[in-house]
Amino acid sequence: MNYLLQLTQQSENKTLNLFSTVYSKMSPLSREPIRELYETIRLNLVADRTPGDDLELVTGKFFRNLFPVAYHHAIHSDVVHGTERGRAAAGAGPGVSNRDFHSDYKNCLVHTYDDLKPFGMVPQQLSSSLVASVNAASVLLRALREGSEVLLKLEEVGVSAPSCRKALLRMNYCGSCKRYNHLHAKPCAGLCQNVMRGCLIEFVGALNKGWSTLTEAILPLIGTVRSADGIESEIKSLDTKLSNAIMHAMQIGPQLEKQVSEP
């Protein structure tokens, strides 16, 4: 678990660094949404339930709120298009180009997000793969926690019932077969049954359910988590996918600007 949490922290730092260097104008307004996205991933990894809706909602919210920032600073700016309005704003002095970045302006862009689809299919694809990989990793981590509880119950057999430990040792050889190679002779079935009934029956019930849950959950998940679509690959590539979304919006910038300016 610690490895995955550390991996998300490294990926978050990498993403923040990407925005501060490549998308520097967007960086100040993008930090908090980025942190919220990664924090939701971490919370879902350690959750005692199956993740899904909240991570999907936060991912959608991230891209929806990122659109006004990307549009204003990377698409609509004079750096990208060199428009007359951009040059006029630049000539009018610092801060003028930011005057129209108020709440009404942002709300307008947010409300047009679904129709414009500025980031293409990246948000949907990322949300789907992220939820699936975090879901698989979360189930695996819960299974491992279940396994640790099973091992603790096994330890209780010896710690809380020392008489059971002696009885279990007697099941390894035939105590009545003295002078007849008793160390290699099997104990009688009755002895084994008595030990199981009288000593281990309370533990067998407790262990069976937990162990079955562990084995059923962990075996198929190990391959999924370690696959190319698993949590490790997904987290490591998250910064690249976010960058691809912004690059897509910049490529269709003229089209977006035309649609936004239409009455």
Side-chain angles (χ1 to χ4, degrees), residues 24-155:
S24 56
K25 290 188 176 182
M26 296 172 53
S27 180
L29 294 175
S30 302
R31 288 194 190 103
E32 193 56 38
I34 290 172
R35 290 195 177 103
E36 182 183 4
L37 176 63
Y38 277 96
E39 185 61 26
T40 304
I41 293 173
R42 284 189 283 269
L43 289 174
N44 276 271
L45 281 174
V46 300
D48 290 328
R49 55 178 178 76
T50 302
D53 290 345
D54 54 343
L55 181 55
E56 187 174 358
L57 289 173
V58 169
T59 304
K61 176 186 173 185
F62 170 81
F63 283 105
R64 187 178 296 273
N65 291 335
L66 183 66
F67 175 45
V69 180
Y71 180 81
H72 187 70
H73 292 292
I75 299 170
H76 184 57
S77 69
D78 57 322
V79 175
V80 176
H81 296 298
T83 61
E84 290 299 325
R85 183 172 61 169
R87 285 193 290 270
V96 175
S97 61
N98 288 326
R99 285 180 181 172
D100 59 345
F101 197 59
H102 48 67
S103 58
D104 291 340
Y105 176 77
K106 289 186 285 187
N107 289 335
C108 177
L109 292 174
V110 167
H111 288 312
T112 60
Y113 173 82
D114 291 329
D115 294 328
L116 297 178
K117 293 181 173 55
F119 303 119
M121 294 301 296
V122 175
Q124 292 89 335
Q125 293 170 350
L126 187 147
S127 177
S128 176
S129 61
L130 187 61
V131 169
S133 62
V134 171
N135 184 15
S138 177
V139 174
L140 177 60
L141 291 174
R142 290 203 306 274
L144 292 175
R145 288 197 295 270
E146 184 79 19
S148 67
E149 293 176 3
V150 171
L151 294 177
L152 287 175
K153 286 185 172 66
L154 280 172
E155 189 176 343

Side-chain angles (χ1 to χ4, degrees), residues 15-30:
T15 301
L16 290 170
N17 183 63
L18 171 73
F19 273 73
S20 65
T21 54
V22 180
Y23 308 109
S24 56
K25 290 188 176 182
M26 296 172 53
S27 180
L29 294 175
S30 302

Side-chain angles (χ1 to χ4, degrees), residues 243-254:
S243 181
N244 288 341
I246 298 173
M247 292 299 295
H248 177 85
M250 293 174 67
Q251 288 172 359
I252 63 171

